[in-house]
Amino acid sequence: MLEFEQLKLRIEANEGELRDLKDALGYEALCREIEELEAKASAPGFWDDMESSQKILQRTGKLKNTVESYDKLCSLYDDLLVLIEMGNEE
């Protein structure tokens, strides 16, 4: 039991770093930019300029990858805490 509590405390100590990473990435700004780029991609005439449309799609892909990676990290963090709690209950 004590081992799980110590492990939980060690994991929870990293929560601040997780929030700092979100700020460092500019997570909210990334999400807004993705929305803006997706709006451009759905606008009429988007494909008229192939070079511009390619750049927009590439930028959107990079941003989505960054956001998804952060979201996955947060999900893994939450899952780890749940697993520790489950182990502690056993």
Side-chain angles (χ1 to χ4, degrees), residues 11-53:
I11 299 300
E12 287 176 338
N14 294 311
E15 186 176 359
E17 292 179 17
L18 199 55
R19 281 194 305 266
D20 290 345
L21 178 59
K22 184 176 185 176
D23 293 339
L25 289 173
Y27 183 88
E28 302 300 327
L30 293 178
C31 292
R32 283 192 302 274
E33 187 174 351
I34 290 169
E35 288 178 17
E36 292 169 6
L37 292 173
E38 287 178 339
K40 285 181 182 180
S42 64
F46 173 74
W47 294 105
D48 293 347
D49 183 355
M50 288 299 283
E51 186 176 330
S52 176
S53 60

mmCIF file of all heavy atoms in Angstrom, residues 11-53:
data_model
loop_
_atom_site.group_PDB
_atom_site.id
_atom_site.type_symbol
_atom_site.label_atom_id
_atom_site.label_comp_id
_atom_site.label_asym_id
_atom_site.label_seq_id
_atom_site.Cartn_x
_atom_site.Cartn_y
_atom_site.Cartn_z
ATOM 1 N N ILE A 11 4.466 10.337 -9.389
ATOM 2 C CA ILE A 11 3.806 10.631 -10.664
ATOM 3 C C ILE A 11 3.121 11.993 -10.607
ATOM 4 O O ILE A 11 3.254 12.807 -11.524
ATOM 5 C CB ILE A 11 2.786 9.524 -11.021
ATOM 6 C CG1 ILE A 11 3.469 8.170 -11.170
ATOM 7 C CG2 ILE A 11 2.006 9.880 -12.278
ATOM 8 C CD1 ILE A 11 4.522 8.080 -12.229
ATOM 9 N N GLU A 12 2.403 12.253 -9.515
ATOM 10 C CA GLU A 12 1.687 13.518 -9.381
ATOM 11 C C GLU A 12 2.636 14.714 -9.322
ATOM 12 O O GLU A 12 2.256 15.825 -9.679
ATOM 13 C CB GLU A 12 0.783 13.495 -8.149
ATOM 14 C CG GLU A 12 -0.439 12.631 -8.337
ATOM 15 C CD GLU A 12 -1.299 12.520 -7.090
ATOM 16 O OE1 GLU A 12 -0.770 12.747 -5.973
ATOM 17 O OE2 GLU A 12 -2.490 12.196 -7.243
ATOM 18 N N ALA A 13 3.865 14.483 -8.912
ATOM 19 C CA ALA A 13 4.855 15.559 -8.869
ATOM 20 C C ALA A 13 5.157 16.096 -10.267
ATOM 21 O O ALA A 13 5.633 17.218 -10.418
ATOM 22 C CB ALA A 13 6.131 15.064 -8.200
ATOM 23 N N ASN A 14 4.851 15.309 -11.279
ATOM 24 C CA ASN A 14 5.108 15.722 -12.662
ATOM 25 C C ASN A 14 3.940 16.465 -13.294
ATOM 26 O O ASN A 14 4.044 16.918 -14.429
ATOM 27 C CB ASN A 14 5.454 14.499 -13.518
ATOM 28 C CG ASN A 14 6.764 13.880 -13.090
ATOM 29 O OD1 ASN A 14 7.752 14.582 -12.935
ATOM 30 N ND2 ASN A 14 6.772 12.586 -12.889
ATOM 31 N N GLU A 15 2.857 16.597 -12.576
ATOM 32 C CA GLU A 15 1.686 17.263 -13.143
ATOM 33 C C GLU A 15 1.991 18.715 -13.520
ATOM 34 O O GLU A 15 1.548 19.204 -14.552
ATOM 35 C CB GLU A 15 0.515 17.203 -12.174
ATOM 36 C CG GLU A 15 -0.765 17.758 -12.768
ATOM 37 C CD GLU A 15 -1.957 17.607 -11.845
ATOM 38 O OE1 GLU A 15 -1.814 17.047 -10.739
ATOM 39 O OE2 GLU A 15 -3.031 18.056 -12.238
ATOM 40 N N GLY A 16 2.762 19.388 -12.696
ATOM 41 C CA GLY A 16 3.137 20.770 -12.996
ATOM 42 C C GLY A 16 3.927 20.871 -14.283
ATOM 43 O O GLY A 16 3.728 21.795 -15.084
ATOM 44 N N GLU A 17 4.817 19.924 -14.494
ATOM 45 C CA GLU A 17 5.605 19.910 -15.729
ATOM 46 C C GLU A 17 4.717 19.664 -16.939
ATOM 47 O O GLU A 17 4.959 20.208 -18.016
ATOM 48 C CB GLU A 17 6.706 18.859 -15.646
ATOM 49 C CG GLU A 17 7.777 19.209 -14.638
ATOM 50 C CD GLU A 17 8.861 18.155 -14.549
ATOM 51 O OE1 GLU A 17 8.985 17.323 -15.464
ATOM 52 O OE2 GLU A 17 9.585 18.175 -13.533
ATOM 53 N N LEU A 18 3.695 18.859 -16.758
ATOM 54 C CA LEU A 18 2.753 18.601 -17.837
ATOM 55 C C LEU A 18 2.017 19.888 -18.205
ATOM 56 O O LEU A 18 1.834 20.192 -19.383
ATOM 57 C CB LEU A 18 1.775 17.504 -17.412
ATOM 58 C CG LEU A 18 0.995 16.772 -18.477
ATOM 59 C CD1 LEU A 18 1.910 16.159 -19.515
ATOM 60 C CD2 LEU A 18 0.127 15.703 -17.847
ATOM 61 N N ARG A 19 1.605 20.644 -17.198
ATOM 62 C CA ARG A 19 0.942 21.936 -17.456
ATOM 63 C C ARG A 19 1.915 22.927 -18.076
ATOM 64 O O ARG A 19 1.551 23.699 -18.964
ATOM 65 C CB ARG A 19 0.357 22.487 -16.163
ATOM 66 C CG ARG A 19 -0.949 21.854 -15.771
ATOM 67 C CD ARG A 19 -1.652 22.660 -14.683
ATOM 68 N NE ARG A 19 -0.811 22.882 -13.514
ATOM 69 C CZ ARG A 19 -0.783 22.130 -12.427
ATOM 70 N NH1 ARG A 19 -1.586 21.085 -12.343
ATOM 71 N NH2 ARG A 19 -0.001 22.416 -11.411
ATOM 72 N N ASP A 20 3.169 22.921 -17.615
ATOM 73 C CA ASP A 20 4.184 23.808 -18.182
ATOM 74 C C ASP A 20 4.416 23.496 -19.655
ATOM 75 O O ASP A 20 4.605 24.406 -20.471
ATOM 76 C CB ASP A 20 5.505 23.691 -17.419
ATOM 77 C CG ASP A 20 5.440 24.287 -16.021
ATOM 78 O OD1 ASP A 20 4.483 25.039 -15.732
ATOM 79 O OD2 ASP A 20 6.349 23.983 -15.214
ATOM 80 N N LEU A 21 4.410 22.215 -19.977
ATOM 81 C CA LEU A 21 4.575 21.808 -21.375
ATOM 82 C C LEU A 21 3.430 22.337 -22.225
ATOM 83 O O LEU A 21 3.643 22.820 -23.335
ATOM 84 C CB LEU A 21 4.660 20.286 -21.484
ATOM 85 C CG LEU A 21 4.784 19.707 -22.889
ATOM 86 C CD1 LEU A 21 6.028 20.238 -23.596
ATOM 87 C CD2 LEU A 21 4.789 18.187 -22.835
ATOM 88 N N LYS A 22 2.230 22.277 -21.693
ATOM 89 C CA LYS A 22 1.057 22.791 -22.419
ATOM 90 C C LYS A 22 1.234 24.275 -22.717
ATOM 91 O O LYS A 22 0.985 24.720 -23.838
ATOM 92 C CB LYS A 22 -0.212 22.558 -21.595
ATOM 93 C CG LYS A 22 -1.479 22.970 -22.285
ATOM 94 C CD LYS A 22 -2.693 22.624 -21.442
ATOM 95 C CE LYS A 22 -3.976 22.922 -22.194
ATOM 96 N NZ LYS A 22 -5.155 22.514 -21.426
ATOM 97 N N ASP A 23 1.690 25.015 -21.726
ATOM 98 C CA ASP A 23 1.926 26.442 -21.921
ATOM 99 C C ASP A 23 3.060 26.683 -22.917
ATOM 100 O O ASP A 23 2.972 27.563 -23.773
ATOM 101 C CB ASP A 23 2.257 27.117 -20.591
ATOM 102 C CG ASP A 23 1.076 27.137 -19.638
ATOM 103 O OD1 ASP A 23 -0.081 27.011 -20.097
ATOM 104 O OD2 ASP A 23 1.313 27.269 -18.415
ATOM 105 N N ALA A 24 4.133 25.906 -22.800
ATOM 106 C CA ALA A 24 5.288 26.068 -23.684
ATOM 107 C C ALA A 24 4.925 25.770 -25.139
ATOM 108 O O ALA A 24 5.428 26.423 -26.059
ATOM 109 C CB ALA A 24 6.431 25.167 -23.236
ATOM 110 N N LEU A 25 4.038 24.806 -25.327
ATOM 111 C CA LEU A 25 3.606 24.469 -26.684
ATOM 112 C C LEU A 25 2.655 25.513 -27.246
ATOM 113 O O LEU A 25 2.501 25.607 -28.464
ATOM 114 C CB LEU A 25 2.891 23.110 -26.689
ATOM 115 C CG LEU A 25 3.736 21.876 -26.460
ATOM 116 C CD1 LEU A 25 2.847 20.647 -26.321
ATOM 117 C CD2 LEU A 25 4.729 21.685 -27.595
ATOM 118 N N GLY A 26 2.028 26.286 -26.370
ATOM 119 C CA GLY A 26 0.989 27.206 -26.825
ATOM 120 C C GLY A 26 -0.212 26.412 -27.312
ATOM 121 O O GLY A 26 -0.758 26.669 -28.382
ATOM 122 N N TYR A 27 -0.592 25.441 -26.493
ATOM 123 C CA TYR A 27 -1.625 24.468 -26.862
ATOM 124 C C TYR A 27 -2.906 25.127 -27.361
ATOM 125 O O TYR A 27 -3.444 24.747 -28.405
ATOM 126 C CB TYR A 27 -1.903 23.572 -25.652
ATOM 127 C CG TYR A 27 -2.890 22.468 -25.909
ATOM 128 C CD1 TYR A 27 -2.457 21.250 -26.401
ATOM 129 C CD2 TYR A 27 -4.253 22.637 -25.651
ATOM 130 C CE1 TYR A 27 -3.356 20.218 -26.633
ATOM 131 C CE2 TYR A 27 -5.154 21.615 -25.880
ATOM 132 C CZ TYR A 27 -4.700 20.416 -26.366
ATOM 133 O OH TYR A 27 -5.594 19.410 -26.602
ATOM 134 N N GLU A 28 -3.395 26.116 -26.637
ATOM 135 C CA GLU A 28 -4.654 26.774 -27.022
ATOM 136 C C GLU A 28 -4.507 27.471 -28.373
ATOM 137 O O GLU A 28 -5.407 27.400 -29.219
ATOM 138 C CB GLU A 28 -5.101 27.768 -25.945
ATOM 139 C CG GLU A 28 -5.298 27.162 -24.577
ATOM 140 C CD GLU A 28 -6.340 26.058 -24.540
ATOM 141 O OE1 GLU A 28 -7.316 26.111 -25.297
ATOM 142 O OE2 GLU A 28 -6.165 25.125 -23.735
ATOM 143 N N ALA A 29 -3.371 28.126 -28.589
ATOM 144 C CA ALA A 29 -3.118 28.801 -29.864
ATOM 145 C C ALA A 29 -3.020 27.785 -31.002
ATOM 146 O O ALA A 29 -3.496 28.046 -32.114
ATOM 147 C CB ALA A 29 -1.845 29.636 -29.773
ATOM 148 N N LEU A 30 -2.414 26.633 -30.729
ATOM 149 C CA LEU A 30 -2.326 25.583 -31.746
ATOM 150 C C LEU A 30 -3.712 25.113 -32.155
ATOM 151 O O LEU A 30 -3.988 24.940 -33.346
ATOM 152 C CB LEU A 30 -1.510 24.393 -31.223
ATOM 153 C CG LEU A 30 -0.029 24.599 -30.969
ATOM 154 C CD1 LEU A 30 0.590 23.328 -30.402
ATOM 155 C CD2 LEU A 30 0.685 25.015 -32.231
ATOM 156 N N CYS A 31 -4.572 24.921 -31.165
ATOM 157 C CA CYS A 31 -5.936 24.472 -31.466
ATOM 158 C C CYS A 31 -6.696 25.500 -32.296
ATOM 159 O O CYS A 31 -7.411 25.143 -33.236
ATOM 160 C CB CYS A 31 -6.693 24.171 -30.165
ATOM 161 S SG CYS A 31 -6.059 22.728 -29.292
ATOM 162 N N ARG A 32 -6.516 26.774 -31.955
ATOM 163 C CA ARG A 32 -7.181 27.838 -32.732
ATOM 164 C C ARG A 32 -6.651 27.874 -34.165
ATOM 165 O O ARG A 32 -7.417 28.018 -35.114
ATOM 166 C CB ARG A 32 -6.988 29.195 -32.065
ATOM 167 C CG ARG A 32 -7.876 29.420 -30.861
ATOM 168 C CD ARG A 32 -7.856 30.875 -30.419
ATOM 169 N NE ARG A 32 -6.522 31.349 -30.082
ATOM 170 C CZ ARG A 32 -5.938 31.215 -28.886
ATOM 171 N NH1 ARG A 32 -6.595 30.633 -27.901
ATOM 172 N NH2 ARG A 32 -4.721 31.690 -28.663
ATOM 173 N N GLU A 33 -5.342 27.726 -34.310
ATOM 174 C CA GLU A 33 -4.756 27.757 -35.649
ATOM 175 C C GLU A 33 -5.239 26.569 -36.479
ATOM 176 O O GLU A 33 -5.510 26.706 -37.675
ATOM 177 C CB GLU A 33 -3.224 27.773 -35.580
ATOM 178 C CG GLU A 33 -2.584 27.979 -36.941
ATOM 179 C CD GLU A 33 -1.078 28.133 -36.898
ATOM 180 O OE1 GLU A 33 -0.493 28.250 -35.800
ATOM 181 O OE2 GLU A 33 -0.484 28.131 -37.986
ATOM 182 N N ILE A 34 -5.372 25.418 -35.861
ATOM 183 C CA ILE A 34 -5.902 24.249 -36.574
ATOM 184 C C ILE A 34 -7.311 24.548 -37.085
ATOM 185 O O ILE A 34 -7.630 24.262 -38.244
ATOM 186 C CB ILE A 34 -5.898 22.997 -35.670
ATOM 187 C CG1 ILE A 34 -4.468 22.519 -35.424
ATOM 188 C CG2 ILE A 34 -6.743 21.880 -36.283
ATOM 189 C CD1 ILE A 34 -4.343 21.462 -34.346
ATOM 190 N N GLU A 35 -8.141 25.126 -36.239
ATOM 191 C CA GLU A 35 -9.509 25.471 -36.647
ATOM 192 C C GLU A 35 -9.506 26.445 -37.817
ATOM 193 O O GLU A 35 -10.277 26.292 -38.768
ATOM 194 C CB GLU A 35 -10.279 26.075 -35.474
ATOM 195 C CG GLU A 35 -10.656 25.082 -34.410
ATOM 196 C CD GLU A 35 -11.388 25.729 -33.244
ATOM 197 O OE1 GLU A 35 -11.880 26.871 -33.391
ATOM 198 O OE2 GLU A 35 -11.470 25.087 -32.184
ATOM 199 N N GLU A 36 -8.629 27.449 -37.747
ATOM 200 C CA GLU A 36 -8.538 28.439 -38.827
ATOM 201 C C GLU A 36 -8.093 27.789 -40.139
ATOM 202 O O GLU A 36 -8.647 28.067 -41.202
ATOM 203 C CB GLU A 36 -7.574 29.553 -38.443
ATOM 204 C CG GLU A 36 -8.067 30.439 -37.319
ATOM 205 C CD GLU A 36 -6.991 31.365 -36.772
ATOM 206 O OE1 GLU A 36 -5.864 31.402 -37.336
ATOM 207 O OE2 GLU A 36 -7.270 32.055 -35.774
ATOM 208 N N LEU A 37 -7.082 26.935 -40.048
ATOM 209 C CA LEU A 37 -6.578 26.272 -41.252
ATOM 210 C C LEU A 37 -7.610 25.316 -41.839
ATOM 211 O O LEU A 37 -7.749 25.221 -43.066
ATOM 212 C CB LEU A 37 -5.275 25.530 -40.940
ATOM 213 C CG LEU A 37 -4.068 26.417 -40.610
ATOM 214 C CD1 LEU A 37 -2.893 25.569 -40.145
ATOM 215 C CD2 LEU A 37 -3.680 27.275 -41.799
ATOM 216 N N GLU A 38 -8.354 24.640 -40.981
ATOM 217 C CA GLU A 38 -9.401 23.742 -41.474
ATOM 218 C C GLU A 38 -10.529 24.528 -42.131
ATOM 219 O O GLU A 38 -11.122 24.059 -43.104
ATOM 220 C CB GLU A 38 -9.925 22.861 -40.343
ATOM 221 C CG GLU A 38 -8.941 21.784 -39.946
ATOM 222 C CD GLU A 38 -9.401 20.915 -38.786
ATOM 223 O OE1 GLU A 38 -10.278 21.354 -38.009
ATOM 224 O OE2 GLU A 38 -8.876 19.796 -38.660
ATOM 225 N N ALA A 39 -10.801 25.723 -41.616
ATOM 226 C CA ALA A 39 -11.817 26.573 -42.241
ATOM 227 C C ALA A 39 -11.347 27.003 -43.637
ATOM 228 O O ALA A 39 -12.139 27.018 -44.587
ATOM 229 C CB ALA A 39 -12.098 27.791 -41.368
ATOM 230 N N LYS A 40 -10.064 27.338 -43.760
ATOM 231 C CA LYS A 40 -9.514 27.701 -45.063
ATOM 232 C C LYS A 40 -9.608 26.521 -46.030
ATOM 233 O O LYS A 40 -9.914 26.694 -47.211
ATOM 234 C CB LYS A 40 -8.057 28.131 -44.949
ATOM 235 C CG LYS A 40 -7.865 29.498 -44.359
ATOM 236 C CD LYS A 40 -6.382 29.852 -44.319
ATOM 237 C CE LYS A 40 -6.168 31.209 -43.682
ATOM 238 N NZ LYS A 40 -4.743 31.581 -43.634
ATOM 239 N N ALA A 41 -9.328 25.327 -45.509
ATOM 240 C CA ALA A 41 -9.330 24.134 -46.362
ATOM 241 C C ALA A 41 -10.731 23.793 -46.856
ATOM 242 O O ALA A 41 -10.879 23.161 -47.904
ATOM 243 C CB ALA A 41 -8.739 22.947 -45.602
ATOM 244 N N SER A 42 -11.739 24.206 -46.132
ATOM 245 C CA SER A 42 -13.106 23.897 -46.557
ATOM 246 C C SER A 42 -13.732 25.033 -47.360
ATOM 247 O O SER A 42 -14.869 24.909 -47.825
ATOM 248 C CB SER A 42 -13.982 23.574 -45.343
ATOM 249 O OG SER A 42 -14.097 24.707 -44.509
ATOM 250 N N ALA A 43 -12.972 26.111 -47.543
ATOM 251 C CA ALA A 43 -13.498 27.253 -48.296
ATOM 252 C C ALA A 43 -13.516 26.949 -49.794
ATOM 253 O O ALA A 43 -12.672 26.200 -50.295
ATOM 254 C CB ALA A 43 -12.636 28.480 -48.027
ATOM 255 N N PRO A 44 -14.489 27.513 -50.490
ATOM 256 C CA PRO A 44 -14.523 27.330 -51.954
ATOM 257 C C PRO A 44 -13.248 27.887 -52.590
ATOM 258 O O PRO A 44 -12.718 28.902 -52.151
ATOM 259 C CB PRO A 44 -15.737 28.151 -52.391
ATOM 260 C CG PRO A 44 -16.500 28.457 -51.158
ATOM 261 C CD PRO A 44 -15.579 28.344 -50.007
ATOM 262 N N GLY A 45 -12.735 27.187 -53.548
ATOM 263 C CA GLY A 45 -11.541 27.623 -54.265
ATOM 264 C C GLY A 45 -10.236 27.267 -53.560
ATOM 265 O O GLY A 45 -9.172 27.700 -54.005
ATOM 266 N N PHE A 46 -10.314 26.508 -52.503
ATOM 267 C CA PHE A 46 -9.110 26.153 -51.753
ATOM 268 C C PHE A 46 -8.091 25.451 -52.646
ATOM 269 O O PHE A 46 -6.896 25.713 -52.569
ATOM 270 C CB PHE A 46 -9.475 25.257 -50.569
ATOM 271 C CG PHE A 46 -8.284 24.703 -49.838
ATOM 272 C CD1 PHE A 46 -7.526 25.518 -49.018
ATOM 273 C CD2 PHE A 46 -7.919 23.371 -49.950
ATOM 274 C CE1 PHE A 46 -6.429 25.026 -48.326
ATOM 275 C CE2 PHE A 46 -6.829 22.858 -49.265
ATOM 276 C CZ PHE A 46 -6.080 23.688 -48.456
ATOM 277 N N TRP A 47 -8.564 24.581 -53.513
ATOM 278 C CA TRP A 47 -7.663 23.790 -54.350
ATOM 279 C C TRP A 47 -7.222 24.515 -55.619
ATOM 280 O O TRP A 47 -6.441 23.973 -56.407
ATOM 281 C CB TRP A 47 -8.318 22.459 -54.721
ATOM 282 C CG TRP A 47 -8.523 21.598 -53.521
ATOM 283 C CD1 TRP A 47 -9.692 21.353 -52.873
ATOM 284 C CD2 TRP A 47 -7.517 20.889 -52.793
ATOM 285 N NE1 TRP A 47 -9.489 20.535 -51.789
ATOM 286 C CE2 TRP A 47 -8.158 20.233 -51.718
ATOM 287 C CE3 TRP A 47 -6.139 20.752 -52.937
ATOM 288 C CZ2 TRP A 47 -7.458 19.447 -50.801
ATOM 289 C CZ3 TRP A 47 -5.453 19.962 -52.023
ATOM 290 C CH2 TRP A 47 -6.105 19.321 -50.982
ATOM 291 N N ASP A 48 -7.671 25.735 -55.796
ATOM 292 C CA ASP A 48 -7.276 26.492 -56.991
ATOM 293 C C ASP A 48 -5.777 26.777 -57.004
ATOM 294 O O ASP A 48 -5.157 26.811 -58.064
ATOM 295 C CB ASP A 48 -8.051 27.815 -57.081
ATOM 296 C CG ASP A 48 -9.540 27.590 -57.339
ATOM 297 O OD1 ASP A 48 -9.916 26.448 -57.698
ATOM 298 O OD2 ASP A 48 -10.320 28.550 -57.149
ATOM 299 N N ASP A 49 -5.197 27.005 -55.862
ATOM 300 C CA ASP A 49 -3.756 27.234 -55.737
ATOM 301 C C ASP A 49 -3.158 26.017 -55.036
ATOM 302 O O ASP A 49 -3.156 25.922 -53.808
ATOM 303 C CB ASP A 49 -3.502 28.516 -54.940
ATOM 304 C CG ASP A 49 -2.018 28.854 -54.826
ATOM 305 O OD1 ASP A 49 -1.169 28.055 -55.278
ATOM 306 O OD2 ASP A 49 -1.717 29.931 -54.275
ATOM 307 N N MET A 50 -2.649 25.082 -55.821
ATOM 308 C CA MET A 50 -2.159 23.818 -55.278
ATOM 309 C C MET A 50 -0.998 24.011 -54.301
ATOM 310 O O MET A 50 -0.927 23.332 -53.282
ATOM 311 C CB MET A 50 -1.727 22.883 -56.410
ATOM 312 C CG MET A 50 -2.887 22.317 -57.200
ATOM 313 S SD MET A 50 -3.993 21.341 -56.164
ATOM 314 C CE MET A 50 -3.072 19.852 -56.005
ATOM 315 N N GLU A 51 -0.100 24.930 -54.587
ATOM 316 C CA GLU A 51 1.053 25.135 -53.715
ATOM 317 C C GLU A 51 0.605 25.646 -52.341
ATOM 318 O O GLU A 51 1.049 25.148 -51.308
ATOM 319 C CB GLU A 51 2.025 26.130 -54.353
ATOM 320 C CG GLU A 51 3.309 26.295 -53.572
ATOM 321 C CD GLU A 51 4.291 27.211 -54.277
ATOM 322 O OE1 GLU A 51 4.291 27.271 -55.516
ATOM 323 O OE2 GLU A 51 5.069 27.864 -53.552
ATOM 324 N N SER A 52 -0.279 26.602 -52.343
ATOM 325 C CA SER A 52 -0.799 27.152 -51.089
ATOM 326 C C SER A 52 -1.598 26.106 -50.322
ATOM 327 O O SER A 52 -1.457 25.982 -49.094
ATOM 328 C CB SER A 52 -1.673 28.373 -51.378
ATOM 329 O OG SER A 52 -2.252 28.847 -50.194
ATOM 330 N N SER A 53 -2.414 25.345 -51.017
ATOM 331 C CA SER A 53 -3.234 24.334 -50.349
ATOM 332 C C SER A 53 -2.359 23.246 -49.730
ATOM 333 O O SER A 53 -2.636 22.771 -48.626
ATOM 334 C CB SER A 53 -4.267 23.734 -51.305
ATOM 335 O OG SER A 53 -3.648 23.114 -52.403
#
